């Protein structure tokens, strides 16, 4: 259903845009490579756990390159490009977003072996595909790298303005209960992400079991 497809697109876009903002904040605070790599290692380990867990549940459509896999690759690229001029990053973001639809238009003129490889499991991580792979989650490098780059550019531009330091606006303590809850979830977004599917699916399985018992 298009509604759910576009909802998922909006959620992943916001997720990766915020990750780009986070890298811009890390640039402002001059976070060293070793600290970055420790955090990156946690993301990569969670991506591996997602692959293993999804394989146990969905062996024919397990997640081999979902949002955490894509984020791990994209974070390395954005970190490596942190000193690149903003206009270059904007050009790279535009290319990343435009390449997949452009490729689908020209794929018919390419050698079939190339198209087949890019549609395969190894090649599909790039995102130049003509048919979507059979997997429970799929967030390839293209076009999603463009979204993270846009977040990084927006963050660099924002934080470069007078009084635009992250300290000036997101370190203020939340007052309302709902705001405090959202702030807590924001500080623990990765554990929340790793647990939310278990809670949702586990809860649905429990509901199904209870309904069967009541029949």
């Amino acid at each position: 259903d298009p509604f759910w497809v576009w909802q998922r697109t909006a959620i992943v876009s916001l997720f990766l845009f915020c990750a780009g903002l986070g890298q811009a904040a890390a640039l402002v605070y001059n976070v060293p490579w070793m600290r970055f790599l420790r955090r990156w290692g946690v993301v990569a380990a969670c991506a591996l756990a997602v692959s293993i867990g999804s394989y146990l549940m969905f062996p024919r459509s397990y997640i081999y390159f979902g949002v955490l896999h894509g984020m791990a690759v994209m974070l390395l690229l954005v970190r490596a490009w942190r000193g690149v001029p903003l206009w270059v990053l904007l050009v790279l973001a535009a290319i990343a977003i435009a390449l997949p639809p452009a490729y689908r238009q020209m794929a018919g003129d390419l050698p079939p072996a190339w198209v087949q490889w890019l549609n395969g499991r190894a090649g599909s991580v790039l995102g130049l595909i003509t048919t979507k792979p059979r997997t429970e989650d799929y967030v390839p490098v293209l076009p999603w790298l463009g979204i993270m780059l846009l977040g990084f550019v927006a963050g660099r531009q924002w934080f470069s303005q007078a009084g635009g330091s992250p300290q000036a606006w997101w370190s203020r303590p939340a007052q309302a209960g709902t705001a405090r809850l959202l702030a807590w979830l924001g500080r623990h977004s990765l554990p929340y992400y790793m647990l939310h599917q278990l809670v949702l699916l586990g809860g649905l399985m429990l509901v199904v079991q209870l309904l069967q018992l009541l029949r």
Side-chain angles (χ1 to χ4, degrees):
D1 189 286
F3 173 80
W4 298 109
V5 173
W6 282 108
Q7 184 195 53
R8 185 256 187 188
T9 300
I11 291 171
V12 175
S13 297
L14 182 59
F15 196 28
L16 296 178
F17 189 88
C18 288
L21 282 175
Q23 286 305 298
L27 179 63
V28 171
Y29 286 123
N30 198 25
V31 173
W33 264 101
M34 289 306 299
R35 183 179 175 186
F36 166 81
L37 289 175
R38 285 197 299 269
R39 295 289 297 169
W40 179 87
V42 174
V43 175
C46 288
L48 178 61
V50 167
S51 291
I52 295 172
S54 62
Y55 181 80
L56 294 175
M57 291 195 68
F58 312 105
R60 295 183 178 180
S61 58
Y62 72 95
I63 301 171
Y64 65 91
F65 206 79
V67 66
L68 292 182
H69 305 74
M71 180 176 286
V73 173
M74 293 178 232
L75 284 174
L76 288 175
L77 293 174
V78 172
R79 175 77 183 189
W81 296 342
R82 66 191 187 280
V84 174
L86 292 183
W87 71 268
V88 176
L89 294 177
L90 285 175
V91 170
L92 290 174
I95 292 174
I97 294 172
L99 262 181
Y103 168 78
R104 287 192 291 270
Q105 293 296 322
M106 60 183 291
D109 299 324
L110 297 176
W114 293 10
V115 176
Q116 184 178 2
W117 185 83
L118 287 169
N119 283 335
R121 186 160 289 168
S124 63
V125 301
L126 184 59
L128 301 179
I129 59 171
T130 56
T131 58
K132 290 185 178 180
R134 185 177 181 182
T135 178
E136 297 299 320
D137 188 31
Y138 178 57
V139 182
V141 175
L142 302 174
W144 297 107
L145 175 61
I147 304 300
M148 186 180 287
L149 283 175
L150 290 178
F152 181 66
V153 169
R156 274 182 55 179
Q157 184 67 21
W158 193 352
F159 301 149
S160 68
Q161 304 297 321
S165 168
Q167 190 73 22
W169 61 277
W170 69 17
S171 296
R172 292 174 297 180
Q175 301 299 325
T178 302
R180 289 198 299 270
L181 174 61
L182 292 175
W184 185 86
L185 289 174
R187 288 193 298 270
H188 302 86
S189 56
L190 185 57
Y192 178 83
Y193 178 82
M194 293 297 293
L195 292 173
H196 83 283
Q197 291 282 14
L198 299 178
V199 174
L200 287 173
L201 293 176
L204 288 173
M205 293 172 66
L206 179 61
V207 169
V208 170
Q209 293 293 327
L210 290 175
L211 290 176
Q212 290 178 345
L213 291 174
L214 294 174
R215 287 180 179 177

